[in-house]
Amino acid sequence: MRLSHVISALEELYPPAWAEPWDAVGLVCGDPAQDVGRVLFAVDPVAAVIDEALEWEADLVVTHHPLLLRGVHSVAATTPKGRLVHRMITNGIALHTAHTNADRAVPGVSDALARAVGLTGELRPMVPADDDPRRGLGRIGELDEPVALREFTRRAAAGLPSTAWGVRAAGDPDRPVRTVAVCGGAGDSLLGTAQAAGVDAYLTADLRHHPASEFAEQGGPALVDAAHWATEWPWLADAERRLAGSSPEAGKLETRVSTFVTDAWTLHDEGAM
């Protein structure tokens, strides 16, 4: 399958127009005329992922996070990102990014996260898109039955890939939780939205001390904080399935989801008082 055709299929699923204005999505490197037989899906375009792509002989790597989010003036091999670009081009590996456009898609990153932590039934966006209320940022859904916050935290940890960061919660451990809001990746910008929605708990990543502390003092939803990488990883399998189902030709591609943990945090020690 031509790379241009694979990219067209991906952009049909995750249109670049849905991305935030500051984002950098789409084809990063690769010849649109080249043939693609193997596609690797990963969260981060880092050296370990490219190593995996080379070992598996992938022709295309699809990542959630951009490699070149901010403007650059050089991709010389004297920098880590420049070396990745050189390695990919030299070995005929293309790179495509679906970031905030995948966040806003339906199903998208937060849909996959919601299912991974046990939400069932219909999901609705926390912030609906202006042109389509079915899609947008974050998702709100329900558990089959109420559980204590400590149990929901345990289930979330069991449903997400293991990381050094783990899963932590702020709130009464015995608080009943049924209606839950989730946002894959850094979601502290939606704290007020979660509170206004009246949910029992809000699960996201990268929550900072002061905003979380102030939020807890207001008596709003319980907060559940997971590793950034872990909250976005469930989307990869969904993107893999959707690409395979986009056409008979795409269904013949060999695809693979990287299980290499690329979360920035690699060690956790609770310490002692």
Side-chain angles (χ1 to χ4, degrees):
M1 190 173 180
R2 288 281 181 89
L3 174 60
S4 59
H5 297 159
V6 180
I7 298 306
S8 293
L10 288 167
E11 293 188 343
E12 181 74 20
L13 297 171
Y14 310 108
W18 292 353
E20 296 284 355
W22 50 262
D23 206 358
V25 301
L27 186 63
V28 179
C29 65
D31 182 350
Q34 75 183 68
D35 289 330
V36 171
R38 289 183 171 180
V39 184
L40 177 68
F41 290 82
V43 174
D44 296 297
V46 293
V49 168
I50 303 308
D51 288 343
E52 181 179 0
L54 286 168
E55 182 179 352
W56 188 52
E57 298 182 348
D59 305 299
L60 169 64
V61 177
V62 177
T63 63
H64 182 52
H65 290 151
L67 175 65
L68 305 171
L69 182 58
R70 296 175 177 84
V72 297
H73 300 287
S74 170
V75 289
T78 54
T79 66
K81 291 187 177 184
R83 284 192 290 274
L84 287 184
V85 171
H86 278 260
R87 288 182 69 198
M88 288 186 288
I89 292 175
T90 299
N91 291 279
I93 298 174
L95 175 64
H96 178 84
T97 296
H99 192 211
T100 53
N101 48 330
D103 289 334
R104 293 180 177 276
V106 56
V109 172
S110 291
D111 295 274
L113 172 60
R115 299 310 186 199
V117 301
L119 302 189
T120 60
E122 183 178 356
L123 300 172
R124 65 184 189 277
M126 294 179 68
V127 182
D130 292 336
D131 62 339
D132 186 348
R134 297 172 302 168
R135 62 177 189 83
L137 294 177
R139 292 294 183 271
I140 298 173
E142 292 191 348
L143 301 170
D144 285 334
E145 58 183 10
V147 298
L149 175 60
R150 68 172 78 249
E151 173 61 16
F152 174 66
T153 304
R154 186 195 67 77
R155 292 185 186 183
L160 296 175
S162 179
T163 62
W165 184 272
V167 178
R168 57 188 184 174
D172 181 353
D174 296 317
R175 173 180 181 156
V177 171
R178 182 161 194 178
T179 304
V180 179
V182 304
C183 180
D188 62 356
S189 64
L190 298 182
L191 284 170
T193 304
Q195 184 162 16
V199 299
D200 301 315
Y202 175 42
L203 185 153
T204 188
D206 296 345
L207 291 177
R208 295 170 294 154
H209 173 79
H210 291 296
S213 177
E214 293 169 4
F215 187 81
E217 289 293 314
Q218 297 173 8
L223 296 178
V224 182
D225 184 46
H228 191 121
W229 172 86
T231 64
E232 296 173 328
W233 185 84
W235 167 75
L236 302 178
D238 187 61
E240 179 187 39
R241 287 191 297 269
R242 295 190 73 199
L243 175 61
S246 64
S247 71
E249 190 177 15
K252 297 177 183 178
L253 292 170
E254 290 186 64
T255 59
R256 176 173 173 177
V257 169
S258 175
T259 58
F260 193 88
V261 179
T262 56
D263 195 64
W265 307 103
T266 58
L267 185 64
H268 175 81
D269 189 330
E270 293 183 2
M273 292 293 292

